[in-house]
């Protein structure tokens, strides 16, 4: 079974700063995918970014990027130039054994 | 845009009642999923379906069943609701058939309270 650890239950940063959310996981699979999902307050969960484990290049989506270290089984999310709309719960979710396994989440608050 | 809708945002039921949570997606997705979300536990998979008439147990299926008679609709059933099933329930769908790694699209959730 996969396990996922998000060691930061809550974080807060000032608007425009950069913040990094950590995620470590354990999997026995050699080829897999990893996702970060975002759940804004009272709104639907949406995809932030995804990474294929066989790709060495870290995924980037505008202000969002990942630091994927396969050997260490680490998949952190970096948010640059943070905005008020980034306030949300963030979930790390590796895909393996035919399903997503979600971490317990990090509640991120952007302070004006 | 993909749209996943759930029949109720808030629901209050009594212990022992049979409860139906409905989920509908409008993008012809093959895969559908039911999760429950609890503080400090993240999302846990209850059941999933890769095809109409096909359903598979997730990590926590006890006390739940599902129905998928039509491709676009996936229902979660609590045969006899209990207080420990008080939770937020999230439905999701994704494009491909089988365990392919497509993005999952989520509904707004149903917050169920069992008294």
């Amino acid at each position: 079974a996969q396990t996922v650890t998000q060691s930061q239950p809550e974080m807060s940063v000032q608007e425009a700063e950069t913040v990094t959310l950590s995620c470590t996981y354990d999997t026995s699979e050699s080829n897999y995918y990893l996702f970060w999902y975002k759940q804004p307050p009272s709104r639907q969960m949406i995809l932030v970014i995804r990474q294929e484990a066989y790709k060495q290049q870290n995924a980037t989506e505008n202000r969002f990027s990942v630091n994927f270290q396969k050997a260490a089984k680490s998949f952190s999310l970096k948010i640059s130039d943070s905005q008020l709309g980034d306030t949300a719960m963030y979930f790390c979710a590796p895909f393996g054994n035919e399903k997503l396994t979600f971490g317990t989440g990090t509640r991120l608050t952007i302070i004006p | 845009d993909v749209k996943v809708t759930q029949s109720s945002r808030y629901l209050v039921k009594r212990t022992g009642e049979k409860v139906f949570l409905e989920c509908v997606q409008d993008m012809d997705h093959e895969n559908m999923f039911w999760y429950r979300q609890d503080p400090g536990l993240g999302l846990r998979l209850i059941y999933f379906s890769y095809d109409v008439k096909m359903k598979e147990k997730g990590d926590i299926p006890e006390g739940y069943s599902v129905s998928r008679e039509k491709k676009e609709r996936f229902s979660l059933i609590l045969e006899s609701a209990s207080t420990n099933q008080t939770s937020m329930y999230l439905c999701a769908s994704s494009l491909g058939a089988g365990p392919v790694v497509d993005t999952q699209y989520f509904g707004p959730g149903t917050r169920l309270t069992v008294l």
Side-chain angles (χ1 to χ4, degrees):
Chain A
Q2 289 192 134
T3 59
V4 185
T5 301
Q6 293 183 249
S7 59
Q8 305 147 314
E10 294 189 20
M11 298 183 73
S12 60
V13 295
Q14 294 289 140
E15 193 176 5
E17 288 185 350
T18 294
V19 60
T20 299
L21 282 59
S22 66
C23 174
T24 58
Y25 61 92
D26 191 16
T27 180
S28 57
E29 302 201 3
S30 57
N31 189 23
Y32 51 93
Y33 295 74
L34 303 118
F35 297 80
W36 277 98
Y37 280 87
K38 165 185 175 180
Q39 187 179 39
S42 302
R43 293 179 59 190
Q44 286 169 245
M45 185 96 71
I46 57 172
L47 176 71
V48 176
I49 199 165
R50 62 180 276 167
Q51 172 82 42
E52 289 85 350
Y54 66 88
K55 289 188 178 179
Q56 294 190 350
Q57 187 173 6
N58 288 326
T60 299
E61 287 287 345
N62 300 314
R63 298 181 297 107
F64 297 87
S65 61
V66 300
N67 182 5
F68 173 50
Q69 298 181 17
K70 190 173 183 179
K73 295 182 179 175
S74 171
F75 182 58
S76 60
L77 175 69
K78 186 172 88 170
I79 306 173
S80 303
D81 186 27
S82 57
Q83 301 175 358
L84 297 179
D86 296 333
T87 290
M89 280 288 287
Y90 287 81
F91 294 96
C92 173
F95 185 96
N97 297 326
E98 304 183 350
K99 62 186 180 186
L100 282 176
T101 300
F102 286 82
T104 53
T106 295
R107 184 177 301 279
L108 176 66
T109 302
I110 309 300
I111 303 166
Chain B
D1 282 350
V2 176
K3 193 168 185 182
V4 180
T5 56
Q6 296 182 227
S7 51
S8 306
R9 289 301 302 271
Y10 300 93
L11 206 54
V12 180
K13 295 293 182 181
R14 298 248 176 230
T15 301
E17 280 193 79
K18 190 169 186 176
V19 182
F20 293 86
L21 303 182
E22 306 285 339
C23 175
V24 177
Q25 50 91 7
D26 67 356
M27 285 301 291
D28 203 33
H29 282 180
E30 299 288 342
N31 302 339
M32 297 189 75
F33 309 84
W34 275 107
Y35 296 91
R36 65 176 281 177
Q37 181 179 9
D38 299 289
L41 296 178
L43 278 71
R44 293 177 292 167
L45 182 64
I46 305 172
Y47 267 95
F48 60 99
S49 169
Y50 288 148
D51 187 50
V52 176
K53 304 289 187 180
M54 174 272 185
K55 50 199 177 190
E56 291 283 344
K57 293 180 179 179
D59 297 320
I60 52 164
E62 296 79 18
Y64 304 95
S65 62
V66 290
S67 171
R68 194 172 181 197
E69 296 292 329
K70 293 185 178 181
K71 189 176 184 179
E72 68 270 18
R73 186 179 298 270
F74 192 36
S75 302
L76 181 68
I77 303 159
L78 287 67
E79 295 289 342
S80 178
S82 63
T83 55
N84 63 13
Q85 293 178 308
T86 291
S87 186
M88 171 71 86
Y89 290 88
L90 297 178
C91 175
S93 71
S94 67
L95 178 62
V100 292
V101 193
D102 299 311
T103 297
Q104 291 188 18
Y105 295 85
F106 285 82
T110 296
R111 187 168 296 281
L112 172 68
T113 301
V114 183
L115 301 176

